[in-house]
Amino acid sequence: MTRKPTKRSERRRAQRGFSLVEALASATLLATTMMALSITSISLARGTKTADSFAAATALATEQLEIIRAMPVGSAAHAPGNYASPGNPLTADGLPGGKYTRTWRVSANDVPANGIRTVTVTVSWTDHEPHSLDLVGYVRCQNLPC
């Protein structure tokens, strides 16, 4: 059988609840956890956007490198020098008016070996910080040595 509290102090002990300090501590813990979750979600969203930008830059660089490599041996585009896409800056689809700048460099004659030139395609862009991606390929010269 349960005994009923008789004194006033005993009645207070029987009426259990949360103190103001406990409620404040739990609210602080909850707020800290919610802030950590929001910071994590922002970081994940930024990482996803950066990954998408790198994928688009890789596609733009691959496209230009394949165009250069598909040209006939000895074409003007295989001449040593620095080049840029005429529509810079480009969109992810390669159309003018985006955030990507695509340039490429064809190395001097016989670099890295006789009869070969190095083509380096660079795509650069800025979102929350500047980024750059290089893709390297080789083309043959018309004559040996170049």
Side-chain angles (χ1 to χ4, degrees):
M1 185 176 208
T2 312
R3 188 178 139 218
K4 290 185 177 181
T6 54
K7 293 184 182 177
R8 187 176 183 180
S9 63
E10 288 179 5
R11 273 187 265 145
R12 279 192 186 161
R13 273 190 231 129
Q15 297 173 356
R16 298 259 175 184
F18 296 106
S19 70
L20 184 61
V21 173
E22 291 170 330
L24 186 60
S26 64
T28 302
L29 179 64
L30 180 63
T32 304
T33 304
M34 295 299 285
M35 281 186 8
L37 287 175
S38 68
I39 289 171
T40 301
S41 66
I42 290 169
S43 176
L44 287 173
R46 184 176 284 173
T48 302
K49 183 168 175 44
T50 300
D52 288 344
S53 295
F54 268 100
T58 302
L60 286 169
T62 302
E63 175 188 40
Q64 186 61 44
L65 186 59
E66 291 302 318
I67 289 170
I68 294 168
R69 292 178 67 196
M71 291 180 178
V73 174
S75 67
H78 292 177
N82 295 319
Y83 303 92
S85 291
N88 279 337
L90 304 170
T91 63
D93 297 334
L95 302 172
K99 66 178 182 176
Y100 300 97
T101 302
R102 180 171 57 189
T103 59
W104 61 94
R105 183 175 46 83
V106 179
S107 69
N109 294 337
D110 299 320
V111 175
N114 282 340
I116 297 176
R117 291 185 179 132
T118 303
V119 178
T120 305
V121 180
T122 302
V123 178
S124 56
W125 72 98
T126 300
D127 42 24
H128 59 278
E129 62 185 50
H131 299 282
S132 181
L133 175 106
D134 290 334
L135 190 63
V136 178
Y138 302 102
V139 293
R140 288 184 332 142
C141 299
Q142 188 170 8
N143 302 316
L144 294 175
C146 296

